[in-house]
Amino acid sequence: MSSWPFRVGFGEDAHRLEAGRRLVLGGVPIPHAELGAAAHSDGDAVLHVVADALLSGLALGDIGQYFPDTDAQWRGMDSRLIVQRALALVRERGWVPVNVAVVVTLDRPKLGPLRAEIARSVAALLGLPEGDVGVSFKTSEGLAPLHVQTRATVLLARAEAAPGVSGE
Ligand SMILES: Nc1ccn([C@@H]2O[C@H](COP(=O)(O)O)[C@@H](O)[C@H]2O)c(=O)n1
Ligand SMILES: C[C@@]1(CO)OP(=O)(O)OP(=O)(O)OC[C@H]1O
């Protein structure tokens, strides 16, 4: 690994939308969603990409390696645990997240009114101020009405380069 004090991570996820499932994004249950994410876990596609971005920044693989969808113990799991695990792996290596940018592509429902709540929820999980979590929403313009797709980038810094952050 290079000695630069910064690294970038990226994550991408998609889940089919089905009736009779819950839709949870960034740890926030989405009210009045007619369709929810088909998944082994709670299907939180925002937390999945945040965790994958954290892991990829340090070339630590992906969440499927740590939480295989063939393992019954992870069925219906709260995806906040996935982010907590990824964050612990990053911190153990002496790195901390600086900021995160998330994009959610979903046709319905409109998520704009929940932007601040989702940003706050993700920020709290990562120990970041709310202003360090950017959340964008896009429709698929009708091209993928039965999917939720998410992408995230994260900037990681060496803990000693991050003012006021202990990295513990
Ligand atoms: N589920 C969504 C999707 C989009 N928005 C907001 O709608 C605006 C237009 O989105 P386009 O994909 O047509 O560019 C944009 O401001 C999104 O924030 C939303 O609230 N919920
Ligand atoms: C989270 C895990 C594990 O429960 O399952 P899913 O909820 O299906 O999510 P996905 O983003 O497809 O992959 C990671 C999985 O291992």
PDB file of all heavy atoms in Angstrom, residues 13 15 39-41 48 63-64 67-69 74 77 82, ligand 2:
ATOM      1  N   ASP A  13     -24.524  -1.199  -5.340  1.00  0.00           N
ATOM      2  CA  ASP A  13     -25.425  -2.293  -4.960  1.00  0.00           C
ATOM      3  C   ASP A  13     -26.746  -2.121  -5.691  1.00  0.00           C
ATOM      4  O   ASP A  13     -27.090  -1.002  -6.128  1.00  0.00           O
ATOM      5  CB  ASP A  13     -25.663  -2.277  -3.438  1.00  0.00           C
ATOM      6  CG  ASP A  13     -26.303  -3.561  -2.924  1.00  0.00           C
ATOM      7  OD1 ASP A  13     -26.227  -4.606  -3.619  1.00  0.00           O
ATOM      8  OD2 ASP A  13     -26.888  -3.536  -1.824  1.00  0.00           O
ATOM      9  N   HIS A  15     -30.892  -3.975  -5.542  1.00  0.00           N
ATOM     10  CA  HIS A  15     -31.823  -4.999  -5.062  1.00  0.00           C
ATOM     11  C   HIS A  15     -33.123  -4.898  -5.837  1.00  0.00           C
ATOM     12  O   HIS A  15     -33.573  -3.794  -6.166  1.00  0.00           O
ATOM     13  CB  HIS A  15     -32.109  -4.832  -3.560  1.00  0.00           C
ATOM     14  CG  HIS A  15     -30.970  -5.270  -2.697  1.00  0.00           C
ATOM     15  ND1 HIS A  15     -30.811  -6.565  -2.271  1.00  0.00           N
ATOM     16  CD2 HIS A  15     -29.915  -4.590  -2.204  1.00  0.00           C
ATOM     17  CE1 HIS A  15     -29.716  -6.664  -1.543  1.00  0.00           C
ATOM     18  NE2 HIS A  15     -29.139  -5.478  -1.481  1.00  0.00           N
ATOM     19  N   ALA A  39     -33.909  -9.322  -0.391  1.00  0.00           N
ATOM     20  CA  ALA A  39     -32.521  -9.456   0.076  1.00  0.00           C
ATOM     21  C   ALA A  39     -32.437 -10.540   1.131  1.00  0.00           C
ATOM     22  O   ALA A  39     -33.444 -10.952   1.708  1.00  0.00           O
ATOM     23  CB  ALA A  39     -32.035  -8.137   0.669  1.00  0.00           C
ATOM     24  N   HIS A  40     -31.223 -10.982   1.389  1.00  0.00           N
ATOM     25  CA  HIS A  40     -30.969 -11.936   2.469  1.00  0.00           C
ATOM     26  C   HIS A  40     -31.023 -11.201   3.810  1.00  0.00           C
ATOM     27  O   HIS A  40     -31.541 -11.709   4.802  1.00  0.00           O
ATOM     28  CB  HIS A  40     -29.583 -12.543   2.248  1.00  0.00           C
ATOM     29  CG  HIS A  40     -29.256 -13.640   3.205  1.00  0.00           C
ATOM     30  ND1 HIS A  40     -29.882 -14.863   3.191  1.00  0.00           N
ATOM     31  CD2 HIS A  40     -28.355 -13.698   4.215  1.00  0.00           C
ATOM     32  CE1 HIS A  40     -29.385 -15.626   4.143  1.00  0.00           C
ATOM     33  NE2 HIS A  40     -28.456 -14.935   4.782  1.00  0.00           N
ATOM     34  N   SER A  41     -30.493  -9.980   3.811  1.00  0.00           N
ATOM     35  CA  SER A  41     -30.494  -9.127   5.007  1.00  0.00           C
ATOM     36  C   SER A  41     -31.752  -8.254   4.999  1.00  0.00           C
ATOM     37  O   SER A  41     -32.712  -8.559   4.295  1.00  0.00           O
ATOM     38  CB  SER A  41     -29.253  -8.229   4.979  1.00  0.00           C
ATOM     39  OG  SER A  41     -29.358  -7.306   3.901  1.00  0.00           O
ATOM     40  N   HIS A  48     -25.270  -0.964   2.556  1.00  0.00           N
ATOM     41  CA  HIS A  48     -24.395  -1.929   1.864  1.00  0.00           C
ATOM     42  C   HIS A  48     -23.308  -1.213   1.064  1.00  0.00           C
ATOM     43  O   HIS A  48     -22.143  -1.627   1.074  1.00  0.00           O
ATOM     44  CB  HIS A  48     -25.215  -2.831   0.927  1.00  0.00           C
ATOM     45  CG  HIS A  48     -26.152  -3.740   1.654  1.00  0.00           C
ATOM     46  ND1 HIS A  48     -27.004  -4.611   1.022  1.00  0.00           N
ATOM     47  CD2 HIS A  48     -26.366  -3.919   2.980  1.00  0.00           C
ATOM     48  CE1 HIS A  48     -27.703  -5.280   1.916  1.00  0.00           C
ATOM     49  NE2 HIS A  48     -27.345  -4.869   3.115  1.00  0.00           N
ATOM     50  N   ILE A  63     -18.592  -6.819   1.299  1.00  0.00           N
ATOM     51  CA  ILE A  63     -19.397  -7.274   2.436  1.00  0.00           C
ATOM     52  C   ILE A  63     -19.836  -8.726   2.295  1.00  0.00           C
ATOM     53  O   ILE A  63     -20.051  -9.403   3.297  1.00  0.00           O
ATOM     54  CB  ILE A  63     -20.621  -6.368   2.687  1.00  0.00           C
ATOM     55  CG1 ILE A  63     -21.566  -6.325   1.482  1.00  0.00           C
ATOM     56  CG2 ILE A  63     -20.161  -4.966   3.067  1.00  0.00           C
ATOM     57  CD1 ILE A  63     -22.878  -5.573   1.764  1.00  0.00           C
ATOM     58  N   GLY A  64     -19.938  -9.194   1.048  1.00  0.00           N
ATOM     59  CA  GLY A  64     -20.330 -10.588   0.845  1.00  0.00           C
ATOM     60  C   GLY A  64     -19.316 -11.576   1.418  1.00  0.00           C
ATOM     61  O   GLY A  64     -19.660 -12.707   1.752  1.00  0.00           O
ATOM     62  N   PHE A  67     -20.139 -11.263   5.279  1.00  0.00           N
ATOM     63  CA  PHE A  67     -21.528 -11.640   5.596  1.00  0.00           C
ATOM     64  C   PHE A  67     -22.102 -12.400   4.413  1.00  0.00           C
ATOM     65  O   PHE A  67     -22.944 -11.865   3.678  1.00  0.00           O
ATOM     66  CB  PHE A  67     -22.358 -10.382   5.884  1.00  0.00           C
ATOM     67  CG  PHE A  67     -21.848  -9.558   7.036  1.00  0.00           C
ATOM     68  CD1 PHE A  67     -20.988  -8.485   6.809  1.00  0.00           C
ATOM     69  CD2 PHE A  67     -22.201  -9.860   8.345  1.00  0.00           C
ATOM     70  CE1 PHE A  67     -20.509  -7.723   7.864  1.00  0.00           C
ATOM     71  CE2 PHE A  67     -21.719  -9.103   9.401  1.00  0.00           C
ATOM     72  CZ  PHE A  67     -20.873  -8.036   9.166  1.00  0.00           C
ATOM     73  N   PRO A  68     -21.676 -13.663   4.197  1.00  0.00           N
ATOM     74  CA  PRO A  68     -22.139 -14.396   3.005  1.00  0.00           C
ATOM     75  C   PRO A  68     -23.658 -14.600   3.030  1.00  0.00           C
ATOM     76  O   PRO A  68     -24.223 -14.911   4.090  1.00  0.00           O
ATOM     77  CB  PRO A  68     -21.415 -15.743   3.112  1.00  0.00           C
ATOM     78  CG  PRO A  68     -20.399 -15.593   4.177  1.00  0.00           C
ATOM     79  CD  PRO A  68     -20.768 -14.432   5.036  1.00  0.00           C
ATOM     80  N   ASP A  69     -24.281 -14.432   1.860  1.00  0.00           N
ATOM     81  CA  ASP A  69     -25.740 -14.602   1.828  1.00  0.00           C
ATOM     82  C   ASP A  69     -26.144 -16.069   1.812  1.00  0.00           C
ATOM     83  O   ASP A  69     -27.319 -16.406   1.692  1.00  0.00           O
ATOM     84  CB  ASP A  69     -26.361 -13.825   0.660  1.00  0.00           C
ATOM     85  CG  ASP A  69     -25.895 -14.322  -0.689  1.00  0.00           C
ATOM     86  OD1 ASP A  69     -25.196 -15.346  -0.756  1.00  0.00           O
ATOM     87  OD2 ASP A  69     -26.237 -13.666  -1.706  1.00  0.00           O
ATOM     88  N   TRP A  74     -27.193 -14.553   8.937  1.00  0.00           N
ATOM     89  CA  TRP A  74     -27.336 -13.160   8.485  1.00  0.00           C
ATOM     90  C   TRP A  74     -28.703 -12.886   7.876  1.00  0.00           C
ATOM     91  O   TRP A  74     -28.956 -11.775   7.414  1.00  0.00           O
ATOM     92  CB  TRP A  74     -26.230 -12.794   7.474  1.00  0.00           C
ATOM     93  CG  TRP A  74     -24.850 -13.149   7.923  1.00  0.00           C
ATOM     94  CD1 TRP A  74     -23.940 -13.911   7.255  1.00  0.00           C
ATOM     95  CD2 TRP A  74     -24.209 -12.758   9.150  1.00  0.00           C
ATOM     96  NE1 TRP A  74     -22.789 -14.028   7.993  1.00  0.00           N
ATOM     97  CE2 TRP A  74     -22.930 -13.328   9.159  1.00  0.00           C
ATOM     98  CE3 TRP A  74     -24.616 -11.988  10.242  1.00  0.00           C
ATOM     99  CZ2 TRP A  74     -22.037 -13.157  10.223  1.00  0.00           C
ATOM    100  CZ3 TRP A  74     -23.737 -11.819  11.304  1.00  0.00           C
ATOM    101  CH2 TRP A  74     -22.465 -12.400  11.280  1.00  0.00           C
ATOM    102  N   MET A  77     -30.779  -9.695   8.713  1.00  0.00           N
ATOM    103  CA  MET A  77     -29.942  -8.902   9.632  1.00  0.00           C
ATOM    104  C   MET A  77     -30.086  -7.404   9.425  1.00  0.00           C
ATOM    105  O   MET A  77     -30.366  -6.938   8.322  1.00  0.00           O
ATOM    106  CB  MET A  77     -28.464  -9.289   9.488  1.00  0.00           C
ATOM    107  CG  MET A  77     -27.812  -8.725   8.251  1.00  0.00           C
ATOM    108  SD  MET A  77     -26.064  -9.168   8.126  1.00  0.00           S
ATOM    109  CE  MET A  77     -25.406  -8.358   9.573  1.00  0.00           C
ATOM    110  N   ILE A  82     -23.342  -4.372   9.488  1.00  0.00           N
ATOM    111  CA  ILE A  82     -22.375  -4.501   8.393  1.00  0.00           C
ATOM    112  C   ILE A  82     -21.477  -3.267   8.352  1.00  0.00           C
ATOM    113  O   ILE A  82     -20.247  -3.367   8.220  1.00  0.00           O
ATOM    114  CB  ILE A  82     -23.111  -4.697   7.045  1.00  0.00           C
ATOM    115  CG1 ILE A  82     -23.970  -5.967   7.076  1.00  0.00           C
ATOM    116  CG2 ILE A  82     -22.122  -4.736   5.894  1.00  0.00           C
ATOM    117  CD1 ILE A  82     -24.795  -6.204   5.806  1.00  0.00           C
TER     118      ILE A  82
HETATM  119  C1  LIG B   2     -25.817  -8.437   3.016  1.00  0.00           C
HETATM  120  C2  LIG B   2     -25.847  -9.820   2.438  1.00  0.00           C
HETATM  121  C3  LIG B   2     -25.783 -10.817   3.617  1.00  0.00           C
HETATM  122  O1  LIG B   2     -26.978 -10.823   4.346  1.00  0.00           O
HETATM  123  O2  LIG B   2     -27.005 -10.151   1.718  1.00  0.00           O
HETATM  124  P1  LIG B   2     -28.022  -9.217   0.928  1.00  0.00           P
HETATM  125  O3  LIG B   2     -28.952  -8.576   1.902  1.00  0.00           O
HETATM  126  O4  LIG B   2     -28.728 -10.074  -0.103  1.00  0.00           O
HETATM  127  O5  LIG B   2     -27.226  -8.040   0.253  1.00  0.00           O
HETATM  128  P2  LIG B   2     -26.184  -7.983  -0.978  1.00  0.00           P
HETATM  129  O6  LIG B   2     -25.852  -6.533  -1.147  1.00  0.00           O
HETATM  130  O7  LIG B   2     -26.759  -8.674  -2.171  1.00  0.00           O
HETATM  131  O8  LIG B   2     -24.855  -8.777  -0.563  1.00  0.00           O
HETATM  132  C4  LIG B   2     -24.227  -8.896   0.665  1.00  0.00           C
HETATM  133  C5  LIG B   2     -24.763 -10.106   1.377  1.00  0.00           C
HETATM  134  O9  LIG B   2     -23.790 -10.973   1.746  1.00  0.00           O
END
